Amino acid sequence: MLRNSVFRTACSGFQSMPALRSSLARSLLWQARRHLATVKAHEILEEKPAKATSSDQWLKTVQGIDPFCKMQSRVYGSSASSAVEDDPSADKASACSEHHNHELEHSIRDFLSTTRQRPRAGLKADELVVKCPVCSPGKSRRLAYSAHLNTNTGAFVCTGCFEQGSWDKYQELAKRRNFQNTIPKSRATDPLPFEFAETTLMQLQANLANHEEIYAALTGQEKGQLRLRPSVLAQYGVGLGFVNTAVPEILDLEALAEGCDNSVPCLVFPRTAFRTNSFIESSKDSGAVSSTGRARGQESAALSSMIEEEEDVSDPTGVAASPSEFCTVQLKIVGWNIADLEMYVPVDEAQPGLFGFHVASAESPDIILTGHELDAVAAYQETGIPAVSLPKGPYQLPLDAMRALERYERVYVWLDDNHQGAAAAELITRKLGVDRCMVVHTKGGDPQGPKSASIALARGLDLTSILERSQPVQHDKVLDFSALREAVKFEVTNPDLIRGVESTDLPGWNASFKGLRPGELTILSGATGSGKTTVISQMSLDFCKSGVSTL
């Protein structure tokens, strides 16, 4: 009778006490796991279908309680594993994800077609450069393309106004009247991106090889010459043009390649980017032209010479993409031995690009980031690691370039080894991520050492050894002993100069600890009854008498 009363009391408590139900569930789960753990090896390896055991009942009971139960049944070979393997939940989730991606792709393609946009390929394989729905009104049609759209997630970010959000937000912002006014009224879409004639690019490369003085200064092995290999210069597409300094802007590319009476020689560095991507290609029919106006499969002759591997080029990384996947989007023109002569064609950066972007391999986990183009060529030639240069001066990292470097596991920041370069390197590494960036110090602590990679190569130094001495940027809140070595040495060798607040009644304490100093924590420990409290109480009285704030 008493047993039944206790049982009824326990049942009623079970219904009203969540803690008891949780305890019972844990007990059931423990027994189920214990049973699964006792399955013998021959039972797991037995080919015959196992008979239904009581463990199946336990599994059915606890599957709604323990989310790891399915995984455990698969490990221990329980008879319930067949039910887990046949569970179509994973296939349904995969199908739902594919369906969602398919709908998002159609939504993006239809919306860009409705707004008559001509998207460019970004510096990432899954990225499009489209119009910004916020800052594109008022800009020219080429400069209006400043928003980077992820084709997998629909998220966008503008490098002009830094507006960002989801695909739904992009569509909502694009419904505003200001953006609607930017849609071409005719059936034609926006104009094509800026295009360079292939003959002009090849002529610029030929000019460099034909100019004896400049070519010798870049490729010669004598003192003061940069010792760059001709094949690596051709791989990066470095050329030579002629600029009339009286004209503030280059309007004629043929004149840049051929020159005139008042022109001066200038080095030409091409910035490259993806010509197209899978999203743009899937939007075209067979035989249709690409976003740059060329038929698919038509390769750039100038870019082919840049990417083609020569016999004397040591390229351990290889080039993953075919020449047709890249195009030249801008030319940077720098005067030869002429200070402050720097020009761009086109002047505005309608499509983002990087010098050396076509050299960077998709399989390479590392990349070198330099401040100057010739430093990138020298670093790649000597180390075999793909190298690109900052697009806007040696100390600025725009958002476009930062996004292009996201896929690399290790980034070597190799800027000028001076005060400005060190400050810029620290800022850039914090933007890219301190955990994956290494800063290269070309001087290696020598005040008379070379400040850049190209100068180090000209002096005959080993750039690979310099790269191996690279170090990460130290965290603001983390200090190593080297940062404290001099301070500790000074305190140890000069104890009388760092005296703190001394006790008036404990001269032995003063002789040993030199007082208590601000900013330090002193811990007094000892066995029970050794007098810790007595000493601290006496010191508190001493400090109070001396006018020291004491708690």
Side-chain angles (χ1 to χ4, degrees):
M1 186 70 178
L2 179 61
R3 184 182 305 174
N4 294 336
S5 176
V6 172
F7 179 77
R8 286 194 298 269
T9 303
C11 291
S12 61
F14 178 78
Q15 296 296 331
S16 59
M17 297 174 60
L20 183 58
R21 292 200 303 271
S22 177
S23 176
L24 180 59
R26 287 195 297 269
S27 176
L28 294 175
L29 178 60
W30 177 81
Q31 294 186 36
R33 288 175 174 172
R34 182 181 178 185
H35 179 83
L36 290 175
T38 58
V39 177
K40 296 181 176 56
H42 71 274
E43 295 178 357
I44 299 177
L45 300 176
E46 189 177 4
E47 296 182 357
K48 296 180 180 180
K51 297 181 180 180
T53 62
S54 59
S55 63
D56 296 332
Q57 302 299 328
W58 288 111
L59 286 172
K60 292 179 181 180
T61 304
V62 301
Q63 272 182 357
I65 303 174
D66 185 13
F68 301 101
C69 184
K70 294 182 180 180
M71 180 181 66
Q72 292 168 347
S73 65
R74 199 177 300 120
V75 171
Y76 292 115
S78 171
S79 59
S81 61
S82 60
V84 174
E85 294 175 357
D86 295 338
D87 187 3
S89 59
D91 296 337
K92 290 181 179 179
S94 177
C96 291
S97 177
E98 293 180 1
H99 179 69
H100 174 73
N101 294 339
H102 189 66
E103 287 186 346
L104 178 62
E105 180 180 344
H106 275 283
S107 176
I108 294 175
R109 184 178 291 107
D110 294 343
F111 188 82
L112 295 180
S113 177
T114 302
T115 54
R116 297 190 178 93
Q117 297 190 46
R118 192 185 296 271
R120 283 81 161 147
L123 292 177
K124 299 173 66 176
D126 58 350
E127 194 173 74
L128 297 176
V129 181
V130 297
K131 281 185 178 181
C132 175
V134 177
C135 66
S136 61
K139 294 182 179 180
S140 64
R141 290 185 177 180
R142 289 196 303 111
L143 294 181
Y145 288 81
S146 58
H148 296 251
L149 178 65
N150 189 305
T151 57
N152 293 329
T153 63
F156 78 97
V157 58
C158 177
T159 57
C161 64
F162 302 105
E163 183 71 36
Q164 59 182 340
S166 62
W167 174 241
D168 293 335
K169 182 178 180 180
Y170 183 92
Q171 292 177 294
E172 186 65 26
L173 294 175
K175 294 178 182 178
R176 296 179 179 179
R177 180 174 299 178
N178 292 339
F179 182 81
Q180 293 294 319
N181 293 336
T182 65
I183 301 177
K185 302 302 179 182
S186 62
R187 295 184 178 180
T189 58
D190 284 335
L192 292 167
F194 190 89
E195 275 296 313
F196 292 94
E198 305 300 341
T199 55
T200 303
L201 296 176
M202 296 181 66
Q203 180 62 40
L204 293 173
Q205 297 180 40
N207 290 344
L208 180 62
N210 296 331
H211 199 288
E212 296 182 1
E213 178 185 355
I214 298 179
Y215 195 70
L218 295 177
T219 62
Q221 303 295 318
E222 302 296 330
K223 182 179 180 180
Q225 297 176 333
L226 295 184
R227 307 184 183 187
L228 299 173
R229 286 200 289 266
S231 55
V232 181
L233 288 173
Q235 192 172 1
Y236 272 85
V238 181
L240 183 70
F242 304 92
V243 176
N244 186 357
T245 56
V247 180
E249 183 178 350
I250 299 176
L251 302 176
D252 188 1
L253 291 179
E254 294 184 0
L256 173 66
E258 298 176 1
C260 60
D261 296 336
N262 300 325
S263 60
V264 295
C266 299
L267 291 178
V268 180
F269 303 105
R271 293 178 177 173
T272 56
F274 284 122
R275 179 183 300 278
T276 183
N277 57 28
S278 59
F279 186 91
I280 297 176
E281 289 298 319
S282 63
S283 302
K284 308 186 191 75
D285 297 327
S286 178
V289 297
S290 67
S291 62
T292 58
R294 288 191 180 87
R296 276 187 298 173
Q298 180 183 353
E299 297 183 356
S300 165
L303 205 56
S304 298
S305 64
M306 293 159 59
I307 299 181
E308 183 181 7
E309 296 188 17
E310 304 290 343
E311 294 181 358
D312 58 343
V313 176
S314 177
D315 185 9
T317 61
V319 178
S322 62
S324 60
E325 294 185 14
F326 301 99
C327 65
T328 301
V329 296
Q330 192 178 40
L331 297 178
K332 179 181 179 180
I333 302 168
V334 181
W336 178 258
N337 293 333
I338 301 177
D340 300 329
L341 178 55
E342 183 174 304
M343 308 176 74
Y344 297 89
V345 180
V347 177
D348 47 41
E349 192 176 358
Q351 184 175 354
L354 289 174
F355 175 76
F357 182 76
H358 62 282
V359 178
S361 171
E363 288 79 14
S364 176
D366 304 334
I367 194 169
I368 299 175
L369 181 65
T370 66
H372 303 281
E373 286 76 11
L374 292 180
D375 292 339
V377 177
Y380 173 68
Q381 171 181 304
E382 297 301 309
T383 65
I385 300 176
V388 297
S389 65
L390 292 171
K392 296 183 179 179
Y395 308 124
Q396 299 181 22
L397 179 66
L399 184 58
D400 295 329
M402 186 168 63
R403 294 173 61 82
L405 300 175
E406 288 179 354
R407 62 186 178 92
Y408 295 98
E409 299 177 4
R410 178 67 56 86
V411 179
Y412 294 95
V413 182
W414 201 335
L415 305 183
D416 291 347
D417 197 356
N418 52 24
H419 176 69
Q420 289 181 324
E426 182 177 357
L427 180 61
I428 290 174
T429 53
R430 298 195 187 283
K431 287 184 177 180
L432 296 175
V434 178
D435 57 335
R436 69 187 186 105
C437 290
M438 303 288 287
V439 178
V440 182
H441 301 280
T442 313
K443 293 183 178 180
D446 183 8
Q448 304 300 325
K451 72 172 185 178
S452 63
S454 58
I455 298 178
L457 179 61
R459 295 185 183 182
L461 300 181
D462 186 1
L463 268 63
T464 302
S465 300
I466 296 177
L467 186 72
E468 292 175 352
R469 295 197 302 266
S470 60
Q471 298 177 350
V473 173
Q474 194 170 6
H475 197 279
D476 292 337
K477 305 300 181 182
V478 178
L479 297 177
D480 55 11
F481 185 73
S482 61
L484 303 175
R485 184 182 295 112
E486 295 301 324
V488 173
K489 180 181 178 181
F490 179 81
E491 292 186 4
V492 172
T493 56
N494 302 277
D496 294 333
L497 299 178
I498 59 170
R499 285 183 175 273
V501 180
E502 297 183 346
S503 173
T504 57
D505 296 333
L506 301 174
W509 173 278
N510 298 333
S512 300
F513 294 93
K514 313 300 180 186
L516 299 179
R517 288 162 293 277
E520 292 185 0
L521 174 64
T522 302
I523 300 176
L524 185 62
S525 64
T528 304
S530 60
K532 300 186 297 296
T533 305
T534 304
V535 171
I536 293 178
S537 299
Q538 183 62 42
M539 292 179 62
S540 300
L541 292 175
D542 292 347
F543 293 151
C544 289
K545 286 191 236 181
S546 303
V548 179
S549 299
T550 305
L551 179 62

